[in-house]
Amino acid sequence: MKEIEILVISQSEWNVQNNTGNTYSNIFGNLKGYRFSNLYCNNAEPDNEVCNKYFKINEKEILLNLFGDKNKIGKSFNIVNHHKEKINNSKKKSFLKRNKNIVFYTIRELIWKIGNWKNNNLAKFIDETSPDIIFMTVHGSCFMHNILKYVKGKTNARVVLFFSDDYYSYNTNNKSPLYYINRFFLRKRIRESVKIADLFYGASDMLCVEYGELFNVKIKPLYKGCRFDEC
């Protein structure tokens, strides 16, 4: 029986030493009949026992090739035997990713907005992996939702969204106009992602209820070992 191909789109690398990677390994680690690939957006190294095929893009590549060869952006690679020793990825994460200031957040969004990341390298990776399912956590960055839209447009894959946190509500304690501008566009991107999704999961019962009512969709709590047969 053919294995189901799942492409996981994430901002961080799939590394069990960070929260994102540990969550993915807990969700997918014991699933049988599935094969995984990971498209992620920094230069750090993955480390897990689930996924072997990767594609990474980072802001430095995008910046260096704003007016150059766009096919220098992005790299596809395989890891058959993941590292057993602890990997120090702290210096490999971009300055813009490590800095949480709203100004740097906005600069990062602009880089991805004008950058040439939609290139032959990424198209080839998508074609080679030929995913049946695209899985993405609902991120707090517009460019992640733009990547999802692009990948979805290149495939016939079904989309699974995972709500892990609240990136939709406005923080009324934040007085920065830039924050509200960014949040306005992020909310728009999240709504677009919901429209193209086929299945929804949440990290808690509360998130499932709140976002289910907000977007008028059925959201199930996601537990370790969930299957995606409904897609």
Side-chain angles (χ1 to χ4, degrees), residues 88-116:
N88 183 5
N89 274 325
S90 58
K91 294 183 179 181
K92 295 185 178 181
K93 297 184 186 297
S94 72
F95 172 76
L96 293 175
K97 179 174 175 59
R98 286 182 274 118
N99 196 303
K100 302 299 183 181
N101 183 283
I102 187 63
V103 174
F104 290 100
Y105 174 91
T106 304
I107 293 172
R108 190 182 195 205
E109 291 286 2
L110 288 173
I111 290 172
W112 281 89
K113 181 68 175 177
I114 64 176
N116 294 316

Side-chain angles (χ1 to χ4, degrees), residues 20 26 41 43 56 61 67-68 70 81 92 108 111 129 134 139-140 151 168-169 183 207 219 222 228:
T20 298
N26 283 333
C41 301
N43 200 38
K56 64 179 178 180
E61 290 178 335
F67 306 104
K70 67 179 182 179
N81 296 310
K92 295 185 178 181
R108 190 182 195 205
I111 290 172
T129 55
I134 302 167
H139 288 280
V151 176
Y168 197 80
S169 302
R183 185 52 60 114
L207 277 175
I219 305 178
L222 183 58
F228 305 100

Side-chain angles (χ1 to χ4, degrees), residues 155-217:
T155 72
N156 293 318
R158 311 282 276 177
V159 173
V160 177
L161 288 182
F162 175 46
F163 293 90
S164 64
D165 209 337
D166 182 7
Y167 292 112
Y168 197 80
S169 302
Y170 284 104
N171 178 7
T172 55
N173 293 322
N174 194 319
K175 304 304 180 184
S176 168
L178 201 54
Y179 163 80
Y180 285 95
I181 293 172
N182 277 283
R183 185 52 60 114
F184 172 82
F185 286 107
L186 175 59
R187 285 163 60 94
K188 181 180 179 182
R189 296 294 177 270
I190 291 175
R191 291 194 298 269
E192 291 174 352
S193 292
V194 169
K195 286 181 180 179
I196 64 173
D198 303 282
L199 190 61
F200 304 90
Y201 286 101
S204 68
D205 291 335
M206 183 178 70
L207 277 175
C208 291
V209 172
E210 290 183 358
Y211 277 95
E213 293 176 351
L214 183 63
F215 297 115
N216 194 29
V217 295

Side-chain angles (χ1 to χ4, degrees), residues 146-158:
N146 292 336
I147 292 173
L148 172 64
K149 183 179 180 180
Y150 175 77
V151 176
K152 167 64 175 175
K154 289 283 187 180
T155 72
N156 293 318
R158 311 282 276 177

Side-chain angles (χ1 to χ4, degrees), residues 14 16 20-30 48-50:
W14 188 338
V16 292
T20 298
N22 188 54
T23 297
Y24 289 155
S25 289
N26 283 333
I27 293 171
F28 301 123
N30 295 321
N48 63 84
E49 300 297 327
V50 183

